[in-house]
């Protein structure tokens, strides 16, 4: 058996040994957060914000927001315009 094959086999045995360990040490980040939260636990954080927090408050109350499909159409329209413009420039080039 060559030396390279033996190193690979040793590495496989080491990885299997590490994976089969009963106690796995937490990562450095997990240890840091546990130490920080021991004295200063984090407050509750909602998974999703309340619906009334969607706007930034800069709009006037009577004004409706633009729907998402209109924004999507504007983006696709701009992309299509750029593609057509580049195609036209490429077509006109000698």
């Amino acid at each position: 058996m060559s030396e390279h094959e033996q190193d690979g086999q040793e590495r496989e045995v080491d990885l299997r040994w590490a994976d089969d360990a009963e106690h796995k040490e937490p990562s450095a980040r997990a240890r840091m957060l546990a130490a920080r939260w021991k004295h200063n636990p984090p407050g509750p954080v909602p998974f999703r914000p309340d619906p009334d927090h969607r706007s930034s408050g800069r709009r006037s109350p009577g004004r409706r927001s633009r729907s998402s499909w209109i924004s999507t159409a504007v983006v696709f329209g701009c992309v299509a315009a750029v593609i057509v413009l580049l195609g036209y420039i490429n077509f006109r080039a000698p």
Side-chain angles (χ1 to χ4, degrees):
M1 189 180 319
S2 73
E3 187 177 321
H4 182 64
E5 288 177 6
Q6 189 175 4
D7 287 343
Q9 197 172 26
E10 279 183 30
R11 184 174 298 146
E12 184 177 328
V13 170
D14 287 345
L15 290 175
R16 230 181 302 140
W17 174 78
D19 288 339
D20 293 340
E22 288 183 33
H23 175 73
K24 297 189 183 200
E25 186 175 326
S27 67
R29 178 171 172 74
R31 289 192 310 266
M32 176 201 62
L33 290 174
R36 181 185 303 167
W37 291 345
K38 187 176 187 178
H39 301 292
N40 187 14
V45 178
F47 179 69
R48 294 186 179 164
D50 295 335
D52 53 329
H53 288 89
R54 281 181 40 194
S55 68
S56 63
R58 297 165 85 179
R59 275 191 328 215
S60 62
R63 194 170 158 204
R64 295 181 62 194
S65 68
R66 192 183 322 180
S67 68
S68 63
W69 70 269
I70 293 176
S71 299
T72 303
V74 168
V75 169
F76 280 131
C78 290
V79 170
V82 167
I83 290 172
V84 168
L85 179 66
L86 290 175
Y88 179 73
I89 291 172
N90 224 4
F91 180 72
R92 300 262 307 158

